[in-house]
Amino acid sequence: MSAEPSMPLNEATVEARGVHRGFFGNPVLKGVDIALRPGRVHALLGENGAGKSTLINLLSGALLPHAGEVIVDGGSVSRFSPEAARRAGIAVVQQELSLVSELSIAENIGLGAYPRRFGLVDYGALAEGVEQVCRLVGIQENRGTPISALPLGRRQMVEIAKALFRRPRVLILDEPTSSLSAHEAGVLADLVLRLRDEGLAVLYISHRLNEVLALCSHVTVLKDGVVTADRSLAGVSPDELVRLMVGRDAEHLFPSWSPVAGKEIVRLEGFCAGSARDVSFHARRGEVVGVGGLVGQGQEDFLQGLYGAVAARAEAVSIAGSASLPKSVEAANALGIAYVPADRKRESLVLTHSIAINLALPSIGRLARGWSRSRHAEAELVSDLSARLAIKGDPARPVQALSGGNQQKVALAKWLPLKPAILLLNDPTRGVDLDTKREIYRMLRALAADGTLVVLMSSDTPELVHLCDRVYVFREGRVSGVLAHGTISEEAIVGAALGLPERKAA
Amino acid sequence: MNRSLVTRVAAHPWVLTLVLVALVWIVAGFTLRGFGSWGHLRYLLELSAVIGIVAAGQTLVVIAGGIDLSVGAVMTVSAILLPLLSPADDPTGLAGIGATLAIATGIGILNGAGAAYLRVPPIIMTLAMATFLQGLLIIVAGGSAVSVSNPAVIWLGSARPLGLPAGVILWILVSAATLYALHRTPFGARLMAIGANPIASRLSGLAVDRASVRLYSASGFLAGVAGILLLGMNRQGYAGIGDPYLLSSIAAVVLGGTSILGGRGTYAGTVPGAILLVTSTALITVVNASPGWRSIMFGSLILALLLVSGREARR
């Protein structure tokens, strides 16, 4: 048991008090307090977009708070830079690995902190230090092995060794076990407890509630940039944790609708694409089917596999009247499948080109008369779409001149002339203002009412709750829960995303 | 009024290239004896036709975000193979032309397939192809020059129907077809989109791979046409005959305001770009300088012209 010593609290090694931070006028952290104390493993929980990454970046000096202060050893630090964080002994193991794949294990561990002698790297001292931390985290590989030769889980362990090489006083672990095997996760758990006993302050971010409950003695829960709980974990159940993470007010954003399920249009058994594995999925015309879960659990590969953009296979397929999966994007388009990517600047739009050409691009071939483009038909299509979606601005302007919301409308509108039977959407409201969100929601429900199957992947849980007929929740590439109409709630979605056993809906 | 003219020219860099050519011709016509004569201007246009035709394919490739470094070698291949492929008993000479163009197009298809399906970066694919072809030519033709007796090719290089050189008329036809393909067909619109954002284009359902095979085959075909025209004008084909046209084709494209990064441009700029290049070369030749200095002047001139007209707008 991870009992917290019941002596008076040690002074916090590093502490954030009332920190605010926003991006482009969009507040992400709104007055957050957190204190990391020596000899304690502190959990940080929150949904996607709750502000966890931003808070980590503030604690490691990568970002400066707009208001509030960072306090090290009881003293306020005015400009808390990465350099200041290093001096304070704060080490962060990021989710995105920061290793150089051409360099060896030893060189990576020492990178940026090579011991020097006479201005040269002291490889003897380096080897000694590396040896110590490698033994600590259980790296048996030859220290000269290049990182590129290691599987992802081992790289994560090297990353942790690299953080320990600096002899930190505060260790921040951001989802450290997401790529680890059960054995490695066990080694890490032992290590974390040992470091705690040696007096380190550990901040532990994880979506695996069992780990959190086993390792941590204190928790801070973030929701929409505010701390909703800062308390001891003694006697807290997983369900209580989930409840702390969700439960915001349903906004008046969503249209009212009633289910009108039509004929079945997709049925998949044993579907695999990229990191999506063994997915069973079925859906009818007229449905809005949600795809949820934590970020990066195979949802995107699932959509792109259906769209023919990544290689996919399945044991049994029926999709838009075809008995096989589309092999290419063109084939998918021919079946009436359209896809709106998440990253509109990179994957959706030709930013430097006009609004008009972006709207017309998928239709240009169809509108052509013989060899020639039909300017007249294209202009008609563009003005029709601009009017239908209230896309503001002269269509001859480059699409990059539009606001994020209007760009997203262009990315969506260009598929409407195809009258898609299946519309796949990847986080369509990310970075979109409220008014446009409302318009997009209304449009999706209207499309469904006209008999389109809308598959909505979203990292915004309320969207899934209030807009979808059914929700598929993904966890580690597999469907961890299918929620039918009436049983969809934020608690149920987050519970399935975290792999808690399904509870019977009331 | 004045300001709107400036902004309009800035929005269409090819207009600037056109104005530059006109200025150079007018100034040179008044200052250099013989420059402004119809015979001389016609000769400059004839030389420009070769660059213009090979640069037509290059324009398409560059707009779609690629580059074709094999055009010089393809021109050489065409110029050397055509005499060998022309059967003696064909009075028209068209069979030899057809066979040569088929080979040139085939080389382009290989370039495109390598770039599209084997994912070899175009700069490597086409450069390797050029090196391969140069080696092949040494084996096939040895070091010797071949003379052309194909009547169609000789006609192309010397006839003047309607008072214009046949090569210039051919260039006009190629220009019309290229401008049409680029600005009036779905294919052209897709090229621009692919050049500006290949990922978004693919996810928008454009057949990016197929387009790139078509592109490089068009570039190969046009380099073949340019090689045949050059042979007709020269009456002799030899190893290295096409080499100077690689840099010229790329320079003409960029001088014409087409972005070397792809996604933006027009053949309407490449045409004056080609004429500007030939004119500058002619002016340098007038200056009495050794070949080494001429080359240095030519290189510096291209850089200077690019600074004036073809510079990438900061994005």
Side-chain angles (χ1 to χ4, degrees), chain A residues 150-351:
Chain A
L150 298 179
L152 205 56
R154 305 306 292 163
R155 292 186 201 188
Q156 180 74 57
M157 298 309 279
V158 174
E159 186 87 28
I160 292 164
K162 179 180 168 184
L164 294 179
F165 182 74
R166 277 133 239 262
R167 306 193 168 281
R169 299 193 300 141
V170 178
L171 184 63
I172 300 177
L173 297 166
D174 190 0
E175 301 229 31
T177 54
S178 57
S179 56
L180 294 187
S181 67
H183 171 72
E184 288 166 333
V187 172
L188 179 67
D190 291 344
L191 177 66
V192 167
L193 294 179
R194 192 158 71 220
L195 292 172
R196 176 198 70 187
D197 294 343
E198 286 173 13
L200 255 75
V202 181
L203 182 64
Y204 195 87
I205 296 100
S206 176
H207 285 298
R208 301 184 174 176
L209 295 185
N210 311 338
E211 275 173 19
V212 167
L213 288 169
L215 288 177
C216 307
S217 57
H218 194 94
V219 66
T220 294
V221 180
L222 276 183
K223 194 181 57 121
D224 294 337
V226 202
V227 175
T228 54
D230 182 6
R231 53 172 292 180
S232 161
L233 267 170
V236 177
S237 75
D239 287 349
E240 275 180 87
L241 282 181
V242 169
R243 210 165 313 125
L244 289 171
M245 287 164 64
V246 297
R248 77 198 89 181
D249 315 326
E251 300 150 68
H252 301 289
L253 258 177
F254 301 95
S256 59
W257 49 275
S258 45
V260 279
K263 274 176 57 188
E264 185 171 89
I265 184 167
V266 181
R267 177 165 286 277
L268 301 169
E269 300 293 340
F271 175 92
C272 299
S275 59
R277 272 189 300 278
D278 200 23
V279 174
S280 295
F281 181 91
H282 64 92
R284 300 168 173 279
R285 282 178 173 275
E287 275 190 309
V288 176
V289 177
V291 174
L294 304 169
V295 170
Q297 304 294 308
Q299 301 100 317
E300 184 169 276
D301 286 336
F302 171 67
L303 292 195
Q304 295 207 347
L306 286 182
Y307 190 54
V310 302
R313 63 195 158 76
E315 283 156 23
V317 181
S318 153
I319 182 165
S322 161
S324 62
L325 292 164
K327 292 263 178 298
S328 69
V329 171
E330 295 163 86
N333 286 162
L335 287 176
I337 306 174
Y339 172 66
V340 179
D343 186 346
R344 50 182 174 264
K345 290 184 197 313
R346 219 173 68 85
E347 300 181 330
S348 253
L349 298 172
V350 184
L351 281 181

Side-chain angles (χ1 to χ4, degrees), chain B residues 28-37 40 286:
Chain B
F30 280 110
T31 51
L32 293 172
R33 215 154 50 85
F35 184 94
S37 73
H40 184 249
V286 172

Side-chain angles (χ1 to χ4, degrees), chain A residues 307 330 372-373 375 414, chain B residues 180 183-184 203-204 210 263:
Chain A
Y307 190 54
E330 295 163 86
S372 297
R373 280 167 65 183
R375 300 279 178 169
K414 70 177 183 181
Chain B
Y180 174 78
H183 300 294
R184 288 281 178 271
L203 289 175
S204 298
R210 210 185 320 144

